[in-house]
Amino acid sequence: MCQTLLKNGFNVDVWSYEFGPFIEELDVLGILTECISESEISQEWVEKRIFKYNLVIANTVVVYKAVEFIQEFLPVVWYVREAENLPNFFWIPQRKTALENAKKIYVVSEYARDFIVKNYNQNVEVLHNYVDDVFGIEGCYIKDKNSKQDGKLRFLALGTIEERKGYDVLIDAFISLPKEIREQCELHFAGRLWEGAKHFYPKLLKQIKPYKNIFYHGELRDKKSIYKLLVQSDVVVVASRDESCSLVALEGAMMARVLILSQNIGAKYILNENNGICVKTGCADALKDAFIRLFKNKDRLDAMGREARKAYLDTSTYEIYAKNFMSVIEKELASNSYLYRVENGDYQLYSFDVFDTLIMRKVAEPKAIFALMQERIKELDFPLVLKENFAKLRAETEGYYYYNVCKKNFMDVRFEEIYDLLALNFSLSSKQKEILMNLEIEVERESFIPIEKNIKLLEKVVEMQKNPILVSDMYFNAEQIRQFLLPFSKAFTDIFIYVSSEYRKKKNNGALFKMIMRQRKVKPRFWLHFGDNFLIDCIEAKKLGINFHYYENDLLSYEKFAIQNANSLNVQKMLAKARNFRVQNKLSSLEELGACFGAFLFLPYVYYVLQQAVQNEVKILYFIARDGFILQKICEKIIQKENLNIQTKYIYGSRFVWRKPFEEKNEEKINLMKAYLNQELNINEKFAFVEVAGSGVTLDKVVECMEVDLKHLFYGTFYLHRSEFGSTKGIFMLPNIYQSAFKIEFFCRSLEGQVLAYEGESGKIIPICCEFEGIALEEFGYGFYIDALLKFVDFILKDSNYENFLIDFTLSAEYLKYLASENIDKNFIELVGSVPFALDELYKDSKCNVVAKRFFVPKEIVKEHWATFPWSILRSHHSVKGIYDKKVCEKISVGAVDRVQNHLSYKLGNVLLCNVKNPFGIIKLIFLIPMLVMIHKEEKKMANYSLNNLPMEYYDDYEEALKIQNFFSYQLGSLLIRSGKKYNIFCIFVLPYQIIKLYQKKVRKND
């Protein structure tokens, strides 16, 4: 599904309840998979996340909870893959209710549809499954069937070894064959021994032991092994008691194998009288008869197999699936989630927030407007203290009203009142006050830019004669706000605007919403409000029963990090520029990363290199593969913009071909390297190399072996950061990159792998790159990252003040700090950590490693590069995070005993035993027990939850901890807690009897 959507130009995000192999497959596609537990799914969680999407595809009945919440706001394609086994999932009754109330359900077969229509819901459509066609791939299909020259008939079954799959029926049928037929046949099966079927498969495996022609192949995860078994078989058998659509049946047909399917198989649409047999479900005799029938017609099996493949080609190829799937998407897709609700809802009042919903500023935060004003009033006639501190004083004067004046019926301050107080405090004349007020309005007006897609939504609502209103918490009055809006649309001419300062009531406590309901005489359930502030436009509206539509327009995690640490006016403008780009362009996660993170990471560095080159009359810049690929593209855009007389060239080099030959003293490789450099470098112009980060040792080797003529023209090597002084000239922009050198490489890949060697070909030296890494990067979608980064560079260069952005490397430094931060965002790590990256030792093999590997198995030992280990931890499950120490990569050795001794049961038991021996001690217990409970609660708040979430069995002292939990004192404490919860104050009457029983149990155990 995801692959099909990507191929058709859609952006895809995935939410999953569990970690698993599918996440690794999605990593390869460059799809961000966010793992959330079902308990996290709530109405509020959905409302905050869902409105940026146009469609939701929900897989399996298990995700019912998300479907229930989402289908109110967006169209949902609920793809239910279960059939007659659905009742097994209804131990959670809400699943059944959700299925019955679903607006639309999609299933994988007519069999599944008929069952659901009959029992739960009439709104069901079929979207058939598919399997990849590997029939013609070498190694999959063996035409001459060399492996089957013995003439035996081979039956094959695949799937989890459980009762539902009908393996008992399969084996009984095969064993019951007449001996003379059975000995000329073989039965092969493979699949995982499911934990939930421990009552089933042991006797099955015992049953087949006497038969040397029945083969169990274990669990097969490798597709090639599965295909090999299919190729070596004659007949594929699916004996399941229930299966909505068997992929094994489709794979068998794809491989031109005869099929035997039970009646309760959704995939029987692929079956006909010419390619297989349908048998009664759960009937070993019927299956045995099918075996005998095919045995007696062995000469027809090839013809039947060809018919099976024809049926596959007619129904179950990827091309057919993709066409059908995309027709479903086109039918269900909402052009806009808000309009979907407008068209399908029964609303009487429609309202829009204004700031950051319809218009936004050219600065990241509203208070930055005051900093812009401060710059302008420096030459005007105002008190010096006001001119030097205006931004701070303007913000704090407004704040003074909110903290000290705005209460009850006076909830908001007006624009004029803020300046009245400023004028009073700094002895300003009426004219000076008026100048400042007009200046603020002017700066605001110049700063505003439209959010065009939302203005178009409002215009559409106006066209539909829905009479929308505007609602804003703001000190400006309605007419001032209207004047801000009118340059962007005539639709704002007659729209009524409710402003908090005019009514002295605010949205942020619901008072303004309540007043509007009274004035408009509308019930909250018939009101739909559109806004960007989740707490105010959404939560406050929801408290009153008002429907809301959330428009996400916030800063990203790394942008918030930067603005907290380096809040300059220029940083405000740069971050606003990135946010404006996001508003104008619908970006995938990778595209957002390229435009908003990668671009500002490298833009100032490239501009620094060009400035240095111009100043030192460097004519050619050689960008070193492959970190230099993106840098060169940025450089060319700036050169074109500024019309600079500098050339750029991309040359292929790496540690493998420039440094290792010297370490290995390989003269042949050294000579090839020299020949390549002589071929690529211009011996007539002053030049420099451009790198990103490193020690510089590799390029030192290159410069040392250059010809004298080249050395004379060599200016030096530019680095964002160089970690060591070397023998050649290394010029770097940042003295400190905060231990992020290795991680920078994720953000400056090319779509080629590392250079592994040089080869001579037709008189030229050709670089040989690691193909599999390049392919992995392309499949991952890294090209989208690069394209978005370069598109954002164009966006920046169109700004009349672009130089201010390029000379300021504050964001570069802050983003490098962010990469080394302990508070780095999990979603950021999820995405960047999945960028394909081949480690040095893997270049010899045809495989590519994911650098920030996920840890699915707690006992796994970390062997990956140390620099990415913390990211690997952050991408993994919380219990895995607790097992490994971030710095030394070692398993936590002790801790289970400490945790048990910190349990309230342990503490209470000890206190009880220590004080029940005398009357005074019993009186003390009245005070000690409540005090102990209170202290325990406070300690629990401060506990290290990352370790407390770790299962105790992973500690080395787990066995000792179990012994402590069996102590009489621990059991006594547990008894006190249970009794208190169950009987409350009356536990004092029950406890003596229960303690006696517990003591008698202990005595019997000791005996």
Side-chain angles (χ1 to χ4, degrees), residues 929 975-995:
I929 289 175
L975 180 65
L976 179 61
I977 293 169
R978 289 196 307 272
S979 299
K981 286 180 179 177
K982 189 173 182 180
Y983 301 106
N984 296 321
I985 189 66
F986 300 106
C987 71
I988 58 174
F989 303 109
V990 180
L991 262 176
Y993 170 71
Q994 290 182 328
I995 292 170

Side-chain angles (χ1 to χ4, degrees), residues 142 162 170 218 233 259 268 356 824 837 899 964 1000:
I142 304 170
E162 55 173 311
L170 174 73
S233 69
L259 304 173
K268 60 178 184 284
D356 291 326
I824 195 164
F837 192 99
R899 275 179 56 183
I964 295 173
Q1000 289 173 341

Side-chain angles (χ1 to χ4, degrees), residues 368-422:
I369 292 294
F370 311 143
L372 288 170
M373 291 177 65
Q374 184 170 313
E375 287 187 341
R376 293 205 192 178
I377 65 172
K378 285 182 178 177
E379 305 302 321
L380 301 179
D381 180 24
F382 288 100
L384 183 61
V385 66
L386 182 63
K387 290 196 287 187
E388 292 298 321
N389 299 281
F390 178 80
K392 182 178 174 65
L393 290 168
R394 166 63 180 82
E396 291 185 354
T397 301
E398 181 184 341
Y400 176 84
Y401 268 95
Y402 293 139
Y403 290 121
N404 298 288
V405 180
C406 296
K407 295 172 184 176
K408 293 185 179 179
N409 295 325
F410 189 97
M411 294 180 186
D412 207 357
V413 62
R414 291 172 181 163
F415 185 54
E416 298 85 353
E417 291 168 341
I418 296 170
Y419 279 96
D420 285 342
L421 187 55
L422 262 177

Side-chain angles (χ1 to χ4, degrees), residues 1 37 40 78 193 203 237 388 580 610 742 757 820 837 944:
M1 282 184 171
S37 66
E40 288 179 73
W78 193 3
L193 298 174
K203 57 185 178 184
V237 185
E388 292 298 321
N580 187 18
L610 279 171
F742 185 75
F837 192 99
N944 184 346

Side-chain angles (χ1 to χ4, degrees), residues 333-376:
L333 190 70
S335 60
N336 178 278
S337 55
Y338 178 75
L339 289 179
Y340 173 82
R341 298 181 72 189
V342 171
E343 290 163 0
N344 291 278
D346 187 23
Y347 305 112
Q348 297 169 6
L349 180 62
Y350 299 84
S351 62
F352 286 77
D353 174 48
V354 177
F355 299 97
D356 291 326
T357 300
L358 297 172
I359 53 176
M360 58 189 292
R361 297 176 176 89
K362 295 177 184 177
V363 286
E365 298 176 314
K367 64 182 181 182
I369 292 294
F370 311 143
L372 288 170
M373 291 177 65
Q374 184 170 313
E375 287 187 341
R376 293 205 192 178

